[in-house]
Amino acid sequence: MTTMAATAHRSTPSAEPRLGLRERKKIKTRTAIRKATYRLVQEQGYDATTIEQIAEAAEVSPSTVFRYFPTKEDIVVTDEYDPILEEELRARPAGEPLPTSLRHVIRHAVERSMSGEFETREEMALRGRLMVEVPAVRSRMIESMSVTGRMMCRAVAERTGRDPDDLEVRAYCMGVVGALLEASRYWAEHGQQGDVGEYAERALDVLEYGLTRRNSEAP
């Protein structure tokens, strides 16, 4: 795909990108499975919750659960934002600086997340707590971020005229993904206090401007 052609016809940030019917149905099923999982985990704990219980609570078969989520950990760590982020990043103005575009779509994703569009704040908090407390969830979260990184590589490559597999593209995108992961972990480790969107902005600031020496007189 030609980079300029891919971005030119989406050169203005108009309405939110609309997902197709098939993708919306997938999101609906994944959301039902995830909500059933969160409910069971709240009631009986993560280790005690089985795939069979999740399937029954979500009113699907165990094979359907596995079709959408290869492992129980994937139910917790997978969200619905990757395709939305990819579409919104491609929809930004072609001449807009890449860091500005990324900040816009990430800020919008955080706003949609906190609004409860895909999960409630309580569910989001539970996911953060599980990431901190359950080693298997934490490990899978780190692995899953590579999927988000590859998605971002595709969109960034189109914006910059590079190949998605270029070292520079991969390093930049995985740096962004890593920064967002640490912002999320920081929020979870501090009892979900503060603004997770602000933590994400601070993490992106470090990538864009570097790490400065902390003023010893600052709070």
Side-chain angles (χ1 to χ4, degrees):
M1 181 184 294
T2 302
T3 302
M4 295 307 295
T7 56
H9 75 287
R10 298 176 178 179
S11 59
T12 58
S14 53
E16 293 178 2
R18 292 182 58 83
L19 299 176
L21 177 60
R22 183 179 180 183
E23 186 60 31
R24 293 201 302 274
K25 286 183 176 179
K26 288 181 179 180
I27 289 175
K28 184 177 180 179
T29 302
R30 285 196 296 263
T31 300
I33 294 171
R34 188 178 299 111
K35 286 183 176 296
T37 303
Y38 289 155
R39 185 169 63 253
L40 290 168
V41 170
Q42 287 277 35
E43 294 172 356
Q44 60 190 32
Y46 180 79
D47 291 335
T49 299
T50 67
I51 293 296
E52 289 73 22
Q53 292 173 333
I54 292 168
E56 182 178 0
E59 299 183 341
V60 299
S61 67
S63 62
T64 297
V65 175
F66 282 121
R67 186 163 68 248
Y68 283 96
F69 303 101
T71 70
K72 186 170 70 172
E73 288 75 30
D74 284 310
I75 302 176
V76 177
V77 305
T78 306
D79 58 39
E80 308 305 335
Y81 296 107
D82 279 4
I84 296 172
L85 285 172
E86 185 171 9
E87 286 295 311
E88 290 195 346
L89 184 55
R90 285 178 168 144
R92 298 303 299 166
E96 184 175 66
L98 182 57
T100 302
S101 295
L102 284 169
R103 286 177 184 274
H104 175 89
V105 300
I106 291 168
R107 187 183 307 115
H108 190 207
V110 171
E111 290 171 355
R112 294 179 73 171
S113 176
M114 300 305 288
S115 73
E117 181 172 350
F118 295 119
E119 59 185 3
T120 66
R121 185 179 178 88
E122 290 74 21
E123 291 167 343
M124 187 177 177
L126 174 61
R127 177 151 61 128
R129 180 167 61 80
L130 291 174
M131 182 175 66
V132 171
E133 297 178 356
V134 181
V137 172
R138 183 166 60 252
S139 176
R140 189 61 180 155
M141 175 71 79
I142 294 172
E143 291 179 17
S144 73
M145 295 304 283
S146 65
V147 177
T148 301
R150 288 195 296 272
M151 172 280 295
M152 192 173 292
C153 283
R154 293 193 298 269
V156 168
E158 290 184 5
R159 288 286 299 272
T160 59
R162 289 177 174 268
D163 189 284
D165 199 43
D166 277 359
L167 173 60
E168 290 81 3
V169 172
R170 291 166 57 179
Y172 180 82
C173 292
M174 293 310 299
V176 171
V177 168
L180 296 177
L181 175 61
E182 288 307 311
S184 178
R185 289 179 60 177
Y186 185 89
W187 180 71
E189 289 168 355
H190 289 77
Q192 289 90 33
Q193 299 298 312
D195 185 346
V196 66
E198 180 182 339
Y199 294 150
E201 289 279 355
R202 286 170 56 186
L204 293 175
D205 282 345
V206 174
L207 290 183
E208 189 170 356
Y209 304 116
L211 188 64
T212 58
R213 187 176 183 85
R214 187 178 181 87
N215 186 343
S216 59
E217 296 180 359

